[in-house]
Amino acid sequence: MSAGPPPVRESTDEHGPSPVVADHPDFEELKVVPARYPWRWFATLAVAVLLAMAAHALVTNPAWDWKVVGEYLFYETILRAVWLTLKLTALGIVLGFVLGTVLALMRLSGVPLLTSVAWTYVWIFRSVPLILQLLFWYNLAILYRYLSFGVPFGPSFVEVATMDLIGPLTAATLGLALHQGAYASEIVRAGVLSVDQGQLEAAAALGVPRGRQIRRIVLPQAMRTIVPTAANEIVGLVKGTSVVYIMALPELFYQVQVIYNRNGRVIALLLVATIWYMIITSILSVAQFYVERHYGKGSARVLPPTPTQRLRAAVAARLAGWRR
Amino acid sequence: MSAAMVDVRGVHKSFGALHVLRGIDLRVRAGEVTVVLGPSGSGKSTLLRSINHLERVDRGYVSVDGQLMGYRRAGNRLHELKERQILKQRTQIGFVFQNFNLFAHLTAIENIAEAPISAQRRPRSEVYAEAETLLRRVGLLEKAQVYPRQLSGGQQQRVAIARALALRPKVVLFDEPTSALDPELVGEVLDTMRDLARGGTTMIVVTHEIGFAREVADTVVFMDAGRIVEQGPPDEVLNHPQHDRTRAFLSKVL
């Protein structure tokens, strides 16, 4: 593995040649004994044994029901449930971040009413548990039987029955997006604050229009701070969507429960859900790497290589080694 | 009004209780280089930032090429301009910062092309061609596609100068352009500025480089405690200062 000991050169130390080198001008002919770390070997061995035990426990215990897991993993109802989970996540994140960006810009606008409205919004929606909020939206019809759109305290133009407008899916989307918006606004705000004030000042000095200052100068640089935290939120929401099971929406977690209540294969079906959540999260993590890399432009002197680039470099190095 | 390119009259500016500018009068003619010297905290930077309205002055006014900065005159009233109009006025004034403030996520040429495209709405191809000419002028054409962080401080400042020039400004303001640089990088930036001065660019330079002032300036202005203590040709101010304060300052930096 290692490329061998580094060649020992004549010391060019600022403090002058060290006495050892002076006594042994033929230093290079001595054999170098690499340092040994017995504890590292011991720790490696211990972890390997533990891993083997875990694998053994997973494979050999028939109670895990791997066959049933395989049967249900691509079962049509499950796939449809996965699709709904993805749809809820996407809607929650996209609407949440649009709302969050607006709220963050309101908060930073310096206009007193906008600032306090944004602050209050975040305060309320961070204070109320998501599950409670979802139930509120679901039961909105009890609170307001009709929703009307018009002049406040004046005439209304359109009136719809709440029940017709807000079904379970709309209620869930609304709840997730409004909840996510509060968190997203803080993430976006942190990103904007992380951008050096000099960047805005330079844009202002150059006469760049205000909207363009935000879109072209501030937000792209804020993304470096925003992306890792936002990715955390997205991954969190993938699993967070499971709370909408209380509204009987057939997303992944709800559907799995329905099936195991029917056939009693609890562990197998929980595993099916686990595997799907892991697959989605893995895909998102890969996407995160590339998005971060994109917004890392100009922040590092050299961008880190992508896994494919790294693989290609490693293969090339091996080939070169063999040819020699 | 006068024929001055930049005309600063009776400008006062306070930050809270701190009275930073205490009645500044300064006129800069087209094609001239004015170097502003003075101890730190004397208000040099604030003066520069007031000229392009990055700071709003409390009293007095600033005009550039006969145009009042930040206000519009109607009869005997001054109407404050909206941000959009102020931004438009600023495109006539180049500004070079001490810390360069290049846009970190844009390449050198994108930095230069940004404002001419977005603020002056000039056609992209024309702007990019001109940006290349500017990069050649500051000796960095081969760095067009490089991000600021991959450049040395001196190179960054030269790109920043090219960026300021891309707006075809009537005057370029330099706020301590070499103070953030390693000593061996100062020379390349001063060389670029010397070229500009020879080319007839109107410049106001806040700096501590006395040598540059002596060689390039048409007028040297010495500021202390928010006032202009003394101004005149470099030989007069630097070699035969009239005021004790100027003498004391020069004896320390020379």
Side-chain angles (χ1 to χ4, degrees), chain A residues 301-319:
Chain A
R301 284 179 181 244
V302 186
L303 286 180
T306 62
T308 31
Q309 285 171 343
R310 225 177 296 162
L311 187 69
R312 227 177 284 149
V315 169
R318 271 292 146 77
L319 286 176

Side-chain angles (χ1 to χ4, degrees), chain B residues 151-214:
Chain B
L151 296 169
S152 75
Q155 292 172 330
Q156 288 189 49
Q157 193 60 297
R158 280 146 68 198
V159 172
I161 291 172
R163 180 173 73 172
L165 294 175
L167 290 162
R168 298 176 182 159
K170 292 175 174 163
V171 52
V172 184
L173 312 176
F174 293 83
D175 188 6
E176 303 203 21
T178 58
S179 299
L181 296 176
D182 288 344
E184 76 254 41
L185 299 177
V186 169
E188 60 184 79
V189 171
L190 291 182
D191 284 344
T192 306
M193 291 168 62
R194 219 171 269 133
D195 282 346
L196 289 186
R198 261 188 232 118
T201 308
T202 312
M203 296 159 62
I204 303 179
V205 185
V206 168
T207 186
H208 293 296
E209 298 289 333
I210 306 288
F212 178 82
R214 197 186 297 280

